[in-house]
mmCIF file of all heavy atoms in Angstrom:
data_model
loop_
_atom_site.group_PDB
_atom_site.id
_atom_site.type_symbol
_atom_site.label_atom_id
_atom_site.label_comp_id
_atom_site.label_asym_id
_atom_site.label_seq_id
_atom_site.Cartn_x
_atom_site.Cartn_y
_atom_site.Cartn_z
ATOM 1 N N TYR A 76 -117.700 -57.465 -53.574
ATOM 2 C CA TYR A 76 -117.158 -56.589 -54.692
ATOM 3 C C TYR A 76 -116.285 -57.560 -55.516
ATOM 4 O O TYR A 76 -115.575 -58.378 -55.070
ATOM 5 C CB TYR A 76 -116.308 -55.481 -54.045
ATOM 6 C CG TYR A 76 -115.564 -54.648 -55.112
ATOM 7 C CD1 TYR A 76 -116.277 -53.741 -55.858
ATOM 8 C CD2 TYR A 76 -114.257 -54.807 -55.324
ATOM 9 C CE1 TYR A 76 -115.607 -52.965 -56.834
ATOM 10 C CE2 TYR A 76 -113.585 -54.086 -56.301
ATOM 11 C CZ TYR A 76 -114.256 -53.148 -57.008
ATOM 12 O OH TYR A 76 -113.614 -52.372 -57.948
ATOM 13 N N PHE A 77 -116.357 -57.302 -56.882
ATOM 14 C CA PHE A 77 -115.476 -57.952 -57.783
ATOM 15 C C PHE A 77 -114.948 -57.023 -58.790
ATOM 16 O O PHE A 77 -115.555 -56.030 -59.175
ATOM 17 C CB PHE A 77 -116.131 -59.146 -58.482
ATOM 18 C CG PHE A 77 -117.155 -58.748 -59.537
ATOM 19 C CD1 PHE A 77 -116.766 -58.513 -60.829
ATOM 20 C CD2 PHE A 77 -118.486 -58.448 -59.126
ATOM 21 C CE1 PHE A 77 -117.709 -58.159 -61.789
ATOM 22 C CE2 PHE A 77 -119.429 -58.098 -60.133
ATOM 23 C CZ PHE A 77 -118.986 -57.928 -61.382
ATOM 24 N N ASN A 78 -113.726 -57.247 -59.257
ATOM 25 C CA ASN A 78 -113.089 -56.466 -60.312
ATOM 26 C C ASN A 78 -112.094 -57.416 -61.046
ATOM 27 O O ASN A 78 -111.061 -57.797 -60.513
ATOM 28 C CB ASN A 78 -112.273 -55.297 -59.700
ATOM 29 C CG ASN A 78 -111.659 -54.436 -60.832
ATOM 30 O OD1 ASN A 78 -111.590 -54.798 -62.021
ATOM 31 N ND2 ASN A 78 -111.227 -53.247 -60.410
ATOM 32 N N ASN A 79 -112.539 -57.803 -62.242
ATOM 33 C CA ASN A 79 -111.745 -58.801 -63.006
ATOM 34 C C ASN A 79 -110.861 -58.113 -64.070
ATOM 35 O O ASN A 79 -110.339 -58.798 -64.981
ATOM 36 C CB ASN A 79 -112.538 -59.907 -63.553
ATOM 37 C CG ASN A 79 -113.579 -59.406 -64.654
ATOM 38 O OD1 ASN A 79 -113.509 -58.314 -65.087
ATOM 39 N ND2 ASN A 79 -114.500 -60.220 -64.995
ATOM 40 N N GLY A 80 -110.686 -56.839 -64.008
ATOM 41 C CA GLY A 80 -109.959 -56.049 -64.988
ATOM 42 C C GLY A 80 -110.801 -55.568 -66.131
ATOM 43 O O GLY A 80 -110.516 -54.524 -66.686
ATOM 44 N N GLU A 81 -111.779 -56.349 -66.567
ATOM 45 C CA GLU A 81 -112.664 -55.906 -67.610
ATOM 46 C C GLU A 81 -113.964 -55.324 -67.110
ATOM 47 O O GLU A 81 -114.575 -54.479 -67.720
ATOM 48 C CB GLU A 81 -112.999 -57.089 -68.547
ATOM 49 C CG GLU A 81 -111.783 -57.587 -69.344
ATOM 50 C CD GLU A 81 -112.176 -58.794 -70.172
ATOM 51 O OE1 GLU A 81 -113.381 -58.903 -70.615
ATOM 52 O OE2 GLU A 81 -111.225 -59.628 -70.483
ATOM 53 N N LYS A 82 -114.410 -55.846 -65.983
ATOM 54 C CA LYS A 82 -115.702 -55.490 -65.437
ATOM 55 C C LYS A 82 -115.590 -55.462 -63.899
ATOM 56 O O LYS A 82 -114.837 -56.273 -63.263
ATOM 57 C CB LYS A 82 -116.742 -56.492 -65.849
ATOM 58 C CG LYS A 82 -118.133 -56.099 -65.490
ATOM 59 C CD LYS A 82 -119.137 -57.097 -66.152
ATOM 60 C CE LYS A 82 -120.574 -56.685 -65.828
ATOM 61 N NZ LYS A 82 -121.510 -57.627 -66.319
ATOM 62 N N LYS A 83 -116.254 -54.547 -63.314
ATOM 63 C CA LYS A 83 -116.343 -54.527 -61.822
ATOM 64 C C LYS A 83 -117.789 -54.301 -61.355
ATOM 65 O O LYS A 83 -118.598 -53.766 -62.106
ATOM 66 C CB LYS A 83 -115.386 -53.518 -61.260
ATOM 67 C CG LYS A 83 -115.679 -52.033 -61.565
ATOM 68 C CD LYS A 83 -114.634 -51.148 -61.029
ATOM 69 C CE LYS A 83 -114.875 -49.655 -61.519
ATOM 70 N NZ LYS A 83 -113.878 -48.836 -61.013
ATOM 71 N N GLY A 84 -118.011 -54.681 -60.207
ATOM 72 C CA GLY A 84 -119.327 -54.492 -59.618
ATOM 73 C C GLY A 84 -119.533 -55.205 -58.291
ATOM 74 O O GLY A 84 -118.516 -55.540 -57.685
ATOM 75 N N PHE A 86 -121.745 -58.409 -56.307
ATOM 76 C CA PHE A 86 -122.699 -59.520 -56.233
ATOM 77 C C PHE A 86 -123.486 -59.341 -54.923
ATOM 78 O O PHE A 86 -122.920 -59.168 -53.894
ATOM 79 C CB PHE A 86 -122.031 -60.872 -56.219
ATOM 80 C CG PHE A 86 -121.365 -61.224 -57.532
ATOM 81 C CD1 PHE A 86 -119.961 -61.285 -57.603
ATOM 82 C CD2 PHE A 86 -122.091 -61.530 -58.673
ATOM 83 C CE1 PHE A 86 -119.334 -61.657 -58.755
ATOM 84 C CE2 PHE A 86 -121.481 -61.865 -59.863
ATOM 85 C CZ PHE A 86 -120.139 -61.887 -59.878
#
Side-chain angles (χ1 to χ4, degrees):
Y76 175 77
F77 72 92
N78 183 347
N79 64 11
E81 295 178 27
K82 189 174 181 182
K83 62 182 174 180
F86 290 112

